[in-house]
Amino acid sequence: MAANERMGADEAAYRRYLLGDEAGAEQLVRKYGDALKSYIDGFIHDSHESEDLMIEAFSQLFAKERPIEGEGSFKAYLYKIARHLALRHKQKHRLVFLCLDELDFEPRSDSLAETAMLRSERDRQLYDALEKLKAEYREALYLVYFEEMSYRNSAAVMNKSEGQITKLIHRGKQSLKAILEQEGFTYADE
């Protein structure tokens, strides 16, 4: 199968931009701008700086042609640039990583009812537990579950192998589960 036949919509939009169609770039910024800003903000916790770094990530990507082929590769490449910018910024400013607000399993407790107030409290506890995870675990979980990236693309973003991402996801879920169990939660997926 030729590379063009495997090209996804994002890669096609990027290719259109490279051929002079500004609408391709606009489409990609609309699609990924807010999510990318949130991803960066998880590293640096400054929404104004996150927006600047998001713009810089797109600028770097659009400044010269990149080797982007295959479905999902545009998003992975964009997030890899953003990650690099965020880590560089974080290193200069020494700030904390990101919070996640849910995973692929649902905490359950006999006393937990699905009211807005109790859900808010549960979410707060989940945020607190996620902050206790190693940064690599949080980032891997975020990319896979919230950005819906494949393990392969998450590996490209984090400069890891797919096997390493698999281990980070597994260990991250185990660690999060242990933290939440210490706080009185149990899980249906045991």
Side-chain angles (χ1 to χ4, degrees):
M1 184 182 294
N4 287 343
E5 292 175 25
R6 293 189 319 254
M7 189 178 301
D10 296 341
E11 293 75 21
Y14 178 66
R15 186 72 38 215
R16 284 195 330 268
Y17 166 76
L18 293 174
L19 295 173
D21 181 4
E22 293 290 324
E26 291 170 11
Q27 174 187 342
L28 293 166
V29 172
R30 268 193 314 275
K31 182 174 182 179
Y32 291 113
D34 290 339
L36 191 64
K37 180 182 167 198
S38 294
Y39 175 68
I40 294 168
D41 196 47
F43 283 95
I44 66 173
H45 300 289
D46 181 330
S47 63
H48 296 294
E49 285 292 318
S50 296
E51 186 166 356
D52 290 346
L53 292 176
M54 178 267 299
I55 292 167
E56 187 175 341
F58 277 108
S59 296
Q60 284 186 18
L61 190 63
F62 293 144
K64 68 177 188 176
E65 186 170 351
R66 307 290 176 158
I68 297 175
E69 296 179 8
E71 191 163 356
S73 60
F74 175 84
K75 184 176 182 180
Y77 206 94
L78 176 64
Y79 274 72
K80 185 173 186 168
I81 291 171
R83 180 179 192 268
H84 173 74
L85 292 170
L87 289 174
R88 191 173 67 200
H89 183 276
K90 180 182 171 185
Q91 190 173 36
K92 290 179 184 176
H93 297 90
R94 295 182 182 216
L95 294 175
V96 186
F97 184 62
L98 72 107
C99 289
L100 306 174
D101 60 3
E102 56 185 275
L103 284 177
D104 66 332
F105 59 85
E106 186 72 22
R108 78 176 158 87
S109 171
D110 295 336
S111 63
L112 188 63
E114 284 298 321
T115 65
M117 187 173 82
L118 290 177
R119 184 173 180 95
S120 175
E121 174 62 16
R122 185 196 65 202
D123 289 348
R124 185 196 59 74
Q125 289 173 325
L126 187 55
Y127 276 115
D128 292 345
L130 288 162
E131 280 297 319
K132 295 175 186 174
L133 288 177
K134 289 173 61 175
E136 280 189 315
Y137 295 167
R138 281 193 303 268
E139 185 175 10
L141 291 167
Y142 179 85
L143 292 172
V144 170
Y145 292 105
F146 293 96
E147 291 302 324
E148 298 177 349
M149 286 188 186
S150 67
Y151 281 34
R152 180 181 56 107
N153 287 337
S154 297
V157 170
M158 293 180 68
N159 293 320
K160 305 275 185 199
S161 69
E162 283 185 62
Q164 288 172 312
I165 293 296
T166 300
K167 287 178 184 174
L168 288 173
I169 295 290
H170 178 74
R171 290 177 182 158
K173 288 167 75 175
Q174 283 183 325
S175 295
L176 183 60
K177 188 175 184 178
I179 291 166
L180 289 172
E181 284 174 350
Q182 288 174 352
E183 296 175 4
F185 287 98
T186 58
Y187 300 92
D189 66 342
E190 291 186 60

